[in-house]
Amino acid sequence: MATPALRMVSAVALLQIMAAAPANAQPWVTRHQDAMWVGAFVDEPITRRTALWFDGSWRRMDFGADPQQLLVRPGVQITVAPGVRVAGGYAYIATAPYGSLPSSSATREHRSWQQISLSHRAGPFTVSHRYRLEQRWIHPLLSVAGSDDREAGPTTYQNRLRYMPRAQANLGSLTLQGRPLIGFVWNELLMPLGGATQTLTIGQNRATVGVGVPLSTRIRAELGYMNLYNAFAARRANEVNHTLWLSWHWTGQ
């Protein structure tokens, strides 16, 4: 079932489409697909205020049967005040043509990113807000005539803003080896900046709910469901990927 946040984002996207499309334009197409994302997240302090950050994600379609994307994202985080952290770093993303709305070629992306994270308590919940700005250099891999080789095509540049609120709380008296299980919910909105319209537009929405399982004092696993809405405005299409979310988290002391 769609979350209120996803319904709101879908409604805004639909209004944008209706406003921009002429009466005789090609209908907007939606495809529902299955996917699986497996990720690892490391937050390792190196000084009292500074920590190394790394996350990597192996993303597959059809619950792991077909390739989709590989992402690696190292960075550095600094705690500037209780509950306030700033971070920045680099990311590399390799994307394959995938699903029922495939791109014309595989792509490679180099990305720089900056973010600020705010966290606080609200009753039994721990609540966080992450604001991230990205600078993206993307190029296709083009076929070379007469061979199986690929070469980099022309690079395009994009900016993108992301916002992710998350709330989590202990699941009552449920524990594993004396450590509480947690329930969590988060939603991330990804919004391209600029481009052909020079306006803030909706690119993706990722609504997720799941359970966190403590494996030790430093390690946690998460299992969840992510409803990923992805808009392809140029092709008048969007996809809704019903995604199994599996992740491993290391938090240093």
Side-chain angles (χ1 to χ4, degrees):
M1 180 178 295
T3 65
L6 182 59
R7 288 196 297 268
M8 178 188 69
V9 170
S10 300
V12 173
L14 181 59
L15 289 174
Q16 289 182 326
I17 296 162
M18 294 174 63
N24 60 351
Q26 175 184 348
W28 196 274
V29 176
T30 299
R31 294 286 187 268
H32 289 261
Q33 306 171 120
D34 298 325
M36 179 178 70
W37 287 17
V38 179
F41 298 79
V42 177
D43 183 356
E44 179 62 33
I46 53 176
T47 70
R48 185 176 62 87
R49 297 177 54 197
T50 305
L52 296 178
W53 170 267
F54 173 82
D55 73 278
S57 186
W58 184 64
R59 301 169 178 180
R60 307 281 293 184
M61 298 302 294
D62 197 19
F63 288 134
D66 301 315
Q68 181 191 21
Q69 192 173 73
L70 175 69
L71 177 148
V72 291
R73 184 166 38 213
V76 176
Q77 291 196 105
I78 300 174
T79 300
V80 297
V84 182
R85 305 179 82 183
V86 296
Y90 164 80
Y92 172 77
I93 302 93
T95 305
Y98 68 87
S100 59
L101 297 168
S103 59
S104 58
S105 64
T107 63
R108 300 293 182 264
E109 176 179 346
H110 300 275
R111 181 187 303 173
S112 56
W113 57 273
Q114 308 82 39
Q115 71 181 36
I116 180 169
S117 301
L118 311 174
S119 61
H120 60 91
R121 296 285 299 181
F125 296 96
T126 299
V127 180
S128 63
H129 304 267
R130 188 184 73 194
Y131 305 85
R132 178 180 289 171
L133 183 64
E134 298 173 329
Q135 301 80 43
R136 311 172 66 200
W137 292 266
I138 307 168
H139 66 262
L141 293 183
L142 304 178
S143 299
V144 177
S147 75
D148 295 329
D149 295 336
R150 301 273 180 153
E151 63 180 5
T155 298
T156 59
Y157 176 77
Q158 300 178 12
N159 293 300
R160 185 165 66 183
L161 177 65
R162 302 169 62 159
Y163 168 58
M164 186 182 81
R166 172 178 168 130
Q168 67 181 51
N170 294 346
L171 292 176
S173 60
L174 295 177
T175 62
L176 178 67
Q177 297 179 346
R179 301 182 183 93
L181 275 66
I182 65 169
F184 65 84
V185 59
W186 55 264
N187 189 80
E188 185 171 24
L189 186 61
L190 292 80
M191 298 164 285
L193 297 172
T197 60
Q198 296 300 311
T199 58
L200 182 67
T201 58
I202 296 170
Q204 289 187 31
N205 192 78
R206 303 173 180 178
T208 307
V209 60
V211 176
V213 181
L215 303 179
S216 74
T217 56
R218 296 187 178 190
I219 300 173
R220 180 182 79 258
E222 290 188 353
L223 170 65
Y225 164 74
M226 178 169 63
N227 186 296
L228 190 155
Y229 165 84
N230 194 10
F232 302 106
R235 288 183 272 169
R236 298 189 54 77
N238 56 260
E239 61 184 14
V240 179
N241 293 338
H242 303 280
T243 306
L244 175 65
W245 169 269
L246 301 168
S247 58
W248 178 89
H249 302 252
W250 168 276
T251 303
Q253 295 178 334

